[in-house]
């Protein structure tokens, strides 16, 4: 049974930073064989893509709204993915979810849609005050 556990959320002032973690577990589950992504969902809005790192080569891709402020990284040995969030804005307030998907992408292609992921964490709340 695969489990993704999101943590690290909290309340922070605008301009501050947070680091989210996603710890994966499962008898044979290794994030090294999965694309790992972060999504977020604000109240009343649809879940939106934030960032992803491909399993093949570790290339990363970000949404325009977080590019240059957020950094996604993975530690395959620890089976953990991180999202470092800097220069946070009130509009970053949302529940953040990590996700794992196993399809192959190459070149300019990245999994940016929720239906391209199979496993999901439970979410962690990030609130940015102005």
């Amino acid at each position: 049974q695969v489990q993704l556990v999101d943590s690290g959320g909290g309340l922070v002032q605008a301009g501050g930073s947070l680091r989210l973690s996603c710890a994966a577990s499962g008898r044979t589950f290794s994030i090294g064989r999965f694309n790992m992504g972060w999504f977020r969902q604000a109240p009343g809005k649809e879940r939106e893509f934030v960032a992803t790192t491909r399993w093949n080569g570790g290339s990363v891709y970000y949404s325009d709204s977080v590019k240059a402020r957020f950094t996604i990284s993975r530690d395959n040995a620890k089976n953990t993915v991180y999202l470092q969030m800097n220069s946070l804005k009130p509009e970053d307030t949302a529940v953040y979810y990590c996700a794992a998907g196993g399809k192959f992408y190459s070149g300019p292609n990245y999994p940016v849609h929720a239906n391209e992921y199979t496993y999901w964490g439970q979410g962690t709340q990030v609130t940015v005050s102005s």
Side-chain angles (χ1 to χ4, degrees), residues 6 8 16 42 44 48 51 55 64 66 72 80 89 94 100 102 104 108 114 124 128:
D6 305 325
E48 67 169 348
W55 66 264
D64 288 342
V66 306
I72 187 172
T80 301
K89 304 175 181 180
F104 177 81
T124 184
V128 185

Side-chain angles (χ1 to χ4, degrees), residues 27-40:
R27 196 167 64 89
T28 60
F29 184 84
S30 170
I31 67 167
R33 296 195 299 269
F34 286 82
N35 306 309
M36 300 300 297
W38 286 95
F39 287 73
R40 67 186 182 186

Side-chain angles (χ1 to χ4, degrees), residues 44-76:
K45 295 188 176 181
E46 293 188 354
R47 191 169 298 191
E48 67 169 348
F49 167 76
V50 174
T52 188
T53 168
R54 290 194 310 217
W55 66 264
N56 52 315
S59 299
V60 298
Y61 184 79
Y62 300 93
S63 69
D64 288 342
S65 61
V66 306
K67 198 177 299 182
R69 299 189 297 122
F70 291 10
T71 303
I72 187 172
S73 61
R74 59 164 74 216
D75 185 334
N76 290 342

Side-chain angles (χ1 to χ4, degrees), residues 71-124:
T71 303
I72 187 172
S73 61
R74 59 164 74 216
D75 185 334
N76 290 342
K78 294 184 178 180
N79 237 12
T80 301
V81 179
Y82 305 96
L83 185 69
Q84 177 66 45
M85 307 186 296
N86 298 329
S87 302
L88 282 161
K89 304 175 181 180
E91 52 263 43
D92 294 318
T93 295
V95 178
Y96 284 70
Y97 300 88
C98 77
K103 292 183 180 179
F104 177 81
Y105 297 82
S106 63
N109 303 305
Y110 290 86
V112 299
H113 301 102
N115 62 9
E116 295 175 291
Y117 293 84
T118 304
Y119 303 106
W120 290 84
Q122 84 288 358
T124 184

